[in-house]
Amino acid sequence: MGIGRGFGKTILFGEHFVVYGLPAIASALGSYTSAEVKVVDGKDFEVIDDRPATPGYKVKKYDEAMQSIKNVIEYMNIDIGCQKLEITFSGDLFAASGVGASAAQATALARALNDNFTLMWDDEKINEAAYEGERAYHGTPSGIDNTASTYGGLIWFVKNLKGGKNVMEILQSGKKMPLVIGNTGITASTVEVVADVRKLKEADPLRFEKIFSVYHSLAIDAKVALLEGDYIGIGKLMNQNHKLLQDIKVSGEINDRLVDIALKHGALGAKMTGTGRGGLVIALAENEKVQNNIASAIEAEGYDTWKTMIG
Ligand code: PMV
Protein backbone atom coordinates (compact mmCIF):
# COMPACT_ATOMS: atom_id res chain seq x y z
CA MET A 1 0.00 0.00 0.00
CA GLY A 2 1.17 3.55 -0.71
CA ILE A 3 0.04 6.76 0.96
CA GLY A 4 0.51 10.43 0.17
CA ARG A 5 -0.75 13.91 1.00
CA GLY A 6 -1.35 17.12 -0.91
CA PHE A 7 -2.08 20.43 0.82
CA GLY A 8 -4.92 22.72 -0.04
CA LYS A 9 -4.05 26.29 -0.94
CA THR A 10 -5.44 29.74 -1.13
CA ILE A 11 -4.31 32.37 -3.61
CA LEU A 12 -3.56 35.53 -1.64
CA PHE A 13 -2.66 37.61 -4.68
CA GLY A 14 -2.74 37.23 -8.43
CA GLU A 15 -5.31 34.69 -9.61
CA HIS A 16 -6.00 35.20 -13.33
CA PHE A 17 -3.02 37.60 -13.62
CA VAL A 18 -0.75 34.60 -13.07
CA VAL A 19 -2.01 33.10 -16.33
CA TYR A 20 -0.33 36.02 -18.16
CA GLY A 21 3.06 35.62 -16.52
CA LEU A 22 2.50 38.06 -13.66
CA PRO A 23 3.56 36.99 -10.16
CA ALA A 24 1.10 35.42 -7.75
CA ILE A 25 1.36 34.59 -4.08
CA ALA A 26 -0.30 31.51 -2.64
CA SER A 27 -0.36 30.04 0.82
CA ALA A 28 -0.76 26.35 1.49
CA LEU A 29 -3.47 25.51 4.01
CA GLY A 30 -2.99 23.24 6.99
CA SER A 31 -5.71 20.99 5.56
CA TYR A 32 -4.82 18.28 3.09
CA THR A 33 -6.17 15.49 0.91
CA SER A 34 -4.68 12.08 1.46
CA ALA A 35 -4.53 9.24 -1.03
CA GLU A 36 -4.11 5.56 -0.36
CA VAL A 37 -3.20 3.25 -3.22
CA LYS A 38 -3.56 -0.53 -3.13
CA VAL A 39 -2.69 -2.90 -5.95
CA VAL A 40 -5.31 -5.62 -6.47
CA ASP A 41 -6.07 -8.22 -9.15
CA GLY A 42 -7.60 -6.97 -12.38
CA LYS A 43 -6.83 -3.91 -14.49
CA ASP A 44 -7.47 -0.17 -14.61
CA PHE A 45 -8.30 1.74 -11.43
CA GLU A 46 -11.15 2.26 -9.03
CA VAL A 47 -11.71 5.35 -6.91
CA ILE A 48 -13.31 5.68 -3.49
CA ASP A 49 -13.75 9.38 -2.80
CA ASP A 50 -14.27 10.00 0.92
CA ARG A 51 -13.25 13.65 0.87
CA PRO A 52 -15.63 16.07 2.61
CA ALA A 53 -17.05 18.26 -0.15
CA THR A 54 -19.32 21.16 -0.95
CA PRO A 55 -22.68 19.78 -2.24
CA GLY A 56 -22.53 19.08 -5.97
CA TYR A 57 -18.75 19.53 -6.22
CA LYS A 58 -17.87 15.86 -6.74
CA VAL A 59 -20.61 15.30 -9.31
CA LYS A 60 -19.71 18.44 -11.24
CA LYS A 61 -16.00 17.59 -11.26
CA TYR A 62 -16.34 13.80 -11.71
CA ASP A 63 -15.15 13.51 -15.32
CA GLU A 64 -12.28 15.91 -14.76
CA ALA A 65 -11.24 14.08 -11.58
CA MET A 66 -11.14 10.74 -13.40
CA GLN A 67 -9.13 12.25 -16.25
CA SER A 68 -6.78 13.87 -13.74
CA ILE A 69 -6.14 10.54 -12.01
CA LYS A 70 -5.49 8.93 -15.38
CA ASN A 71 -3.04 11.69 -16.32
CA VAL A 72 -1.05 11.22 -13.10
CA ILE A 73 -0.94 7.42 -13.51
CA GLU A 74 0.21 7.77 -17.12
CA TYR A 75 2.79 10.45 -16.34
CA MET A 76 4.26 8.22 -13.66
CA ASN A 77 4.36 5.27 -16.08
CA ILE A 78 2.30 2.97 -13.90
CA ASP A 79 1.06 0.00 -15.88
CA ILE A 80 -2.64 -0.58 -15.22
CA GLY A 81 -3.04 -3.17 -17.98
CA CYS A 82 -2.15 -6.08 -15.74
CA GLN A 83 -2.89 -4.75 -12.27
CA LYS A 84 -5.68 -2.71 -10.75
CA LEU A 85 -5.22 0.30 -8.50
CA GLU A 86 -7.67 0.81 -5.69
CA ILE A 87 -7.39 4.50 -4.83
CA THR A 88 -9.03 6.04 -1.77
CA PHE A 89 -9.09 9.79 -1.20
CA SER A 90 -9.80 11.27 2.22
CA GLY A 91 -8.36 13.96 4.50
CA ASP A 92 -9.65 17.14 6.14
CA LEU A 93 -9.47 19.40 3.08
CA PHE A 94 -12.99 20.34 2.09
CA ALA A 95 -13.32 19.78 -1.66
CA ALA A 96 -14.67 23.05 -3.02
CA SER A 97 -13.86 25.38 -5.86
CA GLY A 98 -10.90 27.59 -4.89
CA VAL A 99 -9.06 25.65 -2.18
CA GLY A 100 -6.87 23.82 -4.64
CA ALA A 101 -8.80 20.60 -4.09
CA SER A 102 -7.96 19.25 -7.53
CA ALA A 103 -4.23 19.91 -7.11
CA ALA A 104 -4.25 18.46 -3.60
CA GLN A 105 -5.87 15.33 -4.99
CA ALA A 106 -3.33 15.00 -7.82
CA THR A 107 -0.39 15.67 -5.48
CA ALA A 108 -1.65 13.16 -2.92
CA LEU A 109 -2.06 10.55 -5.65
CA ALA A 110 1.41 11.20 -7.09
CA ARG A 111 2.93 10.82 -3.62
CA ALA A 112 0.95 7.64 -2.91
CA LEU A 113 2.02 6.08 -6.24
CA ASN A 114 5.60 7.15 -5.56
CA ASP A 115 5.36 5.43 -2.17
CA ASN A 116 3.67 2.26 -3.39
CA PHE A 117 5.97 1.68 -6.36
CA THR A 118 9.13 3.01 -4.62
CA LEU A 119 9.86 5.39 -7.48
CA MET A 120 12.02 7.73 -5.33
CA TRP A 121 10.68 10.82 -7.09
CA ASP A 122 11.65 14.13 -5.49
CA ASP A 123 9.27 17.07 -4.92
CA GLU A 124 10.09 18.59 -8.28
CA LYS A 125 8.93 15.45 -10.12
CA ILE A 126 5.91 15.00 -7.85
CA ASN A 127 4.99 18.58 -8.71
CA GLU A 128 5.31 17.80 -12.43
CA ALA A 129 3.03 14.76 -12.06
CA ALA A 130 0.50 16.84 -10.12
CA TYR A 131 0.62 19.47 -12.87
CA GLU A 132 -0.34 16.76 -15.40
CA GLY A 133 -3.31 15.98 -13.14
CA GLU A 134 -4.26 19.65 -13.02
CA ARG A 135 -4.33 19.82 -16.80
CA ALA A 136 -7.49 17.74 -16.75
CA TYR A 137 -9.28 20.52 -14.89
CA HIS A 138 -7.82 23.75 -16.17
CA GLY A 139 -6.79 23.20 -19.76
CA THR A 140 -3.65 25.31 -19.33
CA PRO A 141 -3.19 25.73 -15.60
CA SER A 142 -0.58 28.19 -14.36
CA GLY A 143 0.84 25.53 -12.03
CA ILE A 144 0.46 27.60 -8.88
CA ASP A 145 -1.99 25.19 -7.23
CA ASN A 146 0.11 22.04 -7.61
CA THR A 147 3.22 23.97 -6.54
CA ALA A 148 1.59 25.17 -3.29
CA SER A 149 0.11 21.72 -2.79
CA THR A 150 3.47 20.00 -3.19
CA TYR A 151 5.76 22.34 -1.27
CA GLY A 152 3.46 23.92 1.34
CA GLY A 153 4.15 27.32 2.95
CA LEU A 154 3.92 30.73 1.30
CA ILE A 155 4.84 30.72 -2.35
CA TRP A 156 5.80 33.43 -4.82
CA PHE A 157 5.08 32.02 -8.24
CA VAL A 158 5.67 33.25 -11.78
CA LYS A 159 4.61 31.11 -14.69
CA ASN A 160 7.14 30.78 -17.49
CA LEU A 161 5.09 31.63 -20.57
CA LYS A 162 7.72 30.14 -22.85
CA GLY A 163 7.11 26.72 -21.35
CA GLY A 164 10.35 26.43 -19.35
CA LYS A 165 10.68 26.21 -15.59
CA ASN A 166 8.35 28.43 -13.56
CA VAL A 167 9.79 30.73 -10.91
CA MET A 168 8.97 29.43 -7.46
CA GLU A 169 10.22 31.03 -4.28
CA ILE A 170 9.25 30.01 -0.78
CA LEU A 171 8.64 33.13 1.31
CA GLN A 172 9.52 33.06 4.99
CA SER A 173 6.94 35.35 6.50
CA GLY A 174 7.60 37.14 9.78
CA LYS A 175 4.23 36.26 11.30
CA LYS A 176 1.30 33.85 11.15
CA MET A 177 -1.89 35.66 10.22
CA PRO A 178 -5.49 34.59 10.89
CA LEU A 179 -7.55 34.15 7.74
CA VAL A 180 -11.21 33.38 7.16
CA ILE A 181 -12.25 31.52 4.03
CA GLY A 182 -15.89 32.00 3.07
CA ASN A 183 -17.52 29.56 0.70
CA THR A 184 -20.19 30.88 -1.68
CA GLY A 185 -21.12 27.27 -2.45
CA ILE A 186 -21.05 28.02 -6.18
CA THR A 187 -18.64 26.05 -8.35
CA ALA A 188 -17.61 27.99 -11.47
CA SER A 189 -15.70 26.50 -14.37
CA THR A 190 -12.09 27.71 -14.32
CA VAL A 191 -11.70 27.01 -18.03
CA GLU A 192 -14.72 29.19 -18.86
CA VAL A 193 -13.79 32.08 -16.60
CA VAL A 194 -10.16 32.08 -17.80
CA ALA A 195 -11.44 32.07 -21.42
CA ASP A 196 -13.77 35.01 -20.70
CA VAL A 197 -10.86 37.04 -19.34
CA ARG A 198 -8.87 36.27 -22.47
CA LYS A 199 -11.73 37.52 -24.65
CA LEU A 200 -12.01 40.74 -22.66
CA LYS A 201 -8.27 41.25 -22.93
CA GLU A 202 -8.29 40.69 -26.68
CA ALA A 203 -11.14 43.20 -27.04
CA ASP A 204 -9.25 45.91 -25.14
CA PRO A 205 -5.53 45.16 -24.85
CA LEU A 206 -4.59 48.69 -23.75
CA ARG A 207 -6.93 48.64 -20.76
CA PHE A 208 -5.51 45.28 -19.74
CA GLU A 209 -1.95 46.51 -20.10
CA LYS A 210 -2.74 49.25 -17.58
CA ILE A 211 -4.45 46.84 -15.18
CA PHE A 212 -1.52 44.40 -15.46
CA SER A 213 0.97 47.13 -14.68
CA VAL A 214 -1.00 48.23 -11.58
CA TYR A 215 -1.22 44.61 -10.48
CA HIS A 216 2.50 44.04 -11.02
CA SER A 217 3.55 46.72 -8.55
CA LEU A 218 0.83 45.57 -6.15
CA ALA A 219 2.33 42.04 -6.18
CA ILE A 220 5.80 43.35 -5.40
CA ASP A 221 4.43 45.42 -2.49
CA ALA A 222 2.51 42.36 -1.26
CA LYS A 223 5.67 40.28 -1.20
CA VAL A 224 7.45 42.87 0.94
CA ALA A 225 4.43 43.25 3.25
CA LEU A 226 4.23 39.46 3.72
CA LEU A 227 7.95 39.14 4.42
CA GLU A 228 7.65 41.91 7.02
CA GLY A 229 4.45 40.52 8.54
CA ASP A 230 2.77 43.90 7.85
CA TYR A 231 -0.89 42.92 8.40
CA ILE A 232 -2.29 46.34 7.62
CA GLY A 233 -0.37 46.64 4.38
CA ILE A 234 -1.40 43.14 3.30
CA GLY A 235 -5.05 43.91 4.04
CA LYS A 236 -4.98 47.09 1.93
CA LEU A 237 -3.33 45.28 -0.96
CA MET A 238 -5.93 42.49 -0.78
CA ASN A 239 -8.67 45.12 -1.16
CA GLN A 240 -6.87 46.62 -4.16
CA ASN A 241 -6.40 43.20 -5.72
CA HIS A 242 -10.12 42.50 -5.31
CA LYS A 243 -10.91 45.75 -7.11
CA LEU A 244 -8.70 44.69 -10.05
CA LEU A 245 -10.48 41.32 -10.16
CA GLN A 246 -13.78 43.22 -10.35
CA ASP A 247 -12.32 45.23 -13.22
CA ILE A 248 -11.59 42.07 -15.20
CA LYS A 249 -15.10 40.80 -14.40
CA VAL A 250 -14.26 37.66 -12.49
CA SER A 251 -15.72 38.63 -9.14
CA GLY A 252 -19.38 37.71 -8.95
CA GLU A 253 -22.03 39.58 -6.97
CA ILE A 254 -21.90 36.91 -4.31
CA ASN A 255 -18.12 37.35 -3.90
CA ASP A 256 -18.54 41.09 -3.51
CA ARG A 257 -21.25 40.55 -0.93
CA LEU A 258 -19.12 38.26 1.25
CA VAL A 259 -16.18 40.66 0.91
CA ASP A 260 -18.40 43.51 2.15
CA ILE A 261 -19.61 41.49 5.12
CA ALA A 262 -16.01 40.63 6.07
CA LEU A 263 -14.88 44.26 5.82
CA LYS A 264 -17.88 45.47 7.87
CA HIS A 265 -16.90 42.99 10.58
CA GLY A 266 -13.34 44.15 10.98
CA ALA A 267 -11.33 42.41 8.24
CA LEU A 268 -8.08 44.22 7.41
CA GLY A 269 -8.66 43.22 3.81
CA ALA A 270 -10.78 40.81 1.82
CA LYS A 271 -10.95 39.49 -1.71
CA MET A 272 -12.22 36.68 -3.85
CA THR A 273 -9.70 33.92 -4.33
CA GLY A 274 -9.22 31.46 -7.17
CA THR A 275 -11.45 31.30 -10.22
CA GLY A 276 -14.18 33.65 -8.93
CA ARG A 277 -17.86 34.00 -9.98
CA GLY A 278 -18.56 32.09 -6.81
CA GLY A 279 -16.02 29.84 -5.20
CA LEU A 280 -14.32 31.40 -2.23
CA VAL A 281 -13.45 34.68 -0.61
CA ILE A 282 -10.69 35.27 1.92
CA ALA A 283 -10.52 37.83 4.70
CA LEU A 284 -7.51 38.76 6.81
CA ALA A 285 -8.03 39.39 10.51
CA GLU A 286 -5.70 41.04 13.00
CA ASN A 287 -6.43 38.48 15.70
CA GLU A 288 -8.54 35.42 16.46
CA LYS A 289 -11.36 37.44 17.98
CA VAL A 290 -11.88 39.38 14.76
CA GLN A 291 -11.41 36.16 12.79
CA ASN A 292 -14.29 34.60 14.76
CA ASN A 293 -16.48 37.69 14.26
CA ILE A 294 -15.96 37.65 10.51
CA ALA A 295 -16.63 33.90 10.29
CA SER A 296 -19.82 34.22 12.38
CA ALA A 297 -21.08 37.12 10.25
CA ILE A 298 -20.59 35.16 7.03
CA GLU A 299 -22.16 32.04 8.55
CA ALA A 300 -25.14 34.10 9.74
CA GLU A 301 -25.87 34.77 6.04
CA GLY A 302 -25.95 31.02 5.41
CA TYR A 303 -22.44 30.38 4.04
CA ASP A 304 -19.79 27.97 5.27
CA THR A 305 -16.48 29.28 6.51
CA TRP A 306 -13.12 27.84 7.52
CA LYS A 307 -10.59 29.48 9.75
CA THR A 308 -6.92 29.02 9.05
CA MET A 309 -3.54 30.68 9.59
CA ILE A 310 -1.29 31.82 6.77
CA GLY A 311 2.36 32.81 6.70
O1 PMV B 1 -10.10 28.23 -8.58
P1 PMV B 1 -8.68 27.82 -8.36
O2 PMV B 1 -8.29 27.90 -6.92
O3 PMV B 1 -8.33 26.51 -8.97
O4 PMV B 1 -7.71 28.91 -9.01
C1 PMV B 1 -7.66 29.18 -10.37
C2 PMV B 1 -6.60 30.22 -10.57
C3 PMV B 1 -6.53 30.83 -11.96
O5 PMV B 1 -5.52 31.83 -11.90
C4 PMV B 1 -7.84 31.50 -12.33
C5 PMV B 1 -6.18 29.81 -13.02
C6 PMV B 1 -4.76 29.29 -12.94
O6 PMV B 1 -4.50 28.33 -13.68
O7 PMV B 1 -3.92 29.84 -12.21
Side-chain angles (χ1 to χ4, degrees), residues 7 21 59 74 93 114 131 136 157 161 166 168 223 227 262 272:
F7 295 104
V59 175
E74 268 174 31
L93 179 68
N114 185 44
Y131 179 78
F157 178 91
L161 297 185
N166 300 318
M168 200 275 291
K223 183 180 184 182
L227 288 171
M272 55 152 270

Side-chain angles (χ1 to χ4, degrees), residues 47-255:
V47 177
I48 301 152
D49 190 351
D50 287 337
R51 293 172 302 163
T54 229
Y57 177 89
K58 287 186 197 172
V59 175
K60 191 156 183 182
K61 299 275 183 176
Y62 181 81
D63 290 344
E64 290 164 330
M66 295 308 267
Q67 186 60 48
S68 166
I69 292 164
K70 234 180 176 167
N71 288 2
V72 174
I73 293 171
E74 268 174 31
Y75 189 77
M76 297 184 79
N77 278 319
I78 309 292
D79 182 3
I80 48 169
C82 57
Q83 60 187 348
K84 181 173 172 181
L85 303 178
E86 217 176 74
I87 307 166
T88 308
F89 292 106
S90 57
D92 64 347
L93 179 68
F94 210 82
S97 190
V99 285
S102 55
Q105 188 183 39
T107 307
L109 175 61
R111 288 203 190 282
L113 291 171
N114 185 44
D115 184 31
N116 189 79
F117 295 99
T118 330
L119 303 175
M120 313 294 277
W121 280 24
D122 60 9
D123 280 351
E124 197 176 331
K125 295 211 71 179
I126 294 289
N127 194 24
E128 280 170 20
Y131 179 78
E132 286 307 310
E134 275 289 86
R135 278 158 56 94
Y137 288 88
H138 284 204
T140 51
S142 62
I144 189 168
D145 282 23
N146 47 282
T147 303
S149 182
T150 302
Y151 293 93
L154 261 185
I155 285 169
W156 168 269
F157 178 91
V158 186
K159 183 181 166 73
N160 184 336
L161 297 185
K162 296 195 180 96
K165 261 195 181 177
N166 300 318
V167 172
M168 200 275 291
E169 197 184 316
I170 297 187
L171 305 179
Q172 301 292 347
S173 154
K175 283 184 198 153
K176 291 266 174 212
M177 291 158 277
L179 193 84
V180 177
I181 303 179
N183 184 7
T184 68
I186 297 165
T187 304
S189 154
T190 306
V191 178
E192 273 170 38
V193 183
V194 168
D196 285 354
V197 173
R198 194 170 294 278
K199 269 186 232 149
L200 268 188
K201 180 176 171 290
E202 277 161 12
D204 197 345
L206 266 183
R207 189 171 83 89
F208 267 72
E209 223 171 86
K210 280 189 203 138
I211 294 175
F212 282 3
S213 140
V214 173
Y215 172 72
H216 193 243
S217 40
L218 188 158
I220 290 163
D221 291 349
K223 183 180 184 182
V224 174
L226 279 164
L227 288 171
E228 290 176 351
D230 169 13
Y231 284 40
I232 303 210
I234 299 162
K236 278 190 189 145
L237 292 163
M238 284 168 71
N239 292 338
Q240 287 167 18
N241 193 168
H242 185 69
K243 172 89 194 28
L244 294 177
L245 290 162
Q246 287 175 323
D247 290 347
I248 63 167
K249 308 262 180 289
V250 294
S251 184
E253 237 173 75
I254 179 72
N255 300 89

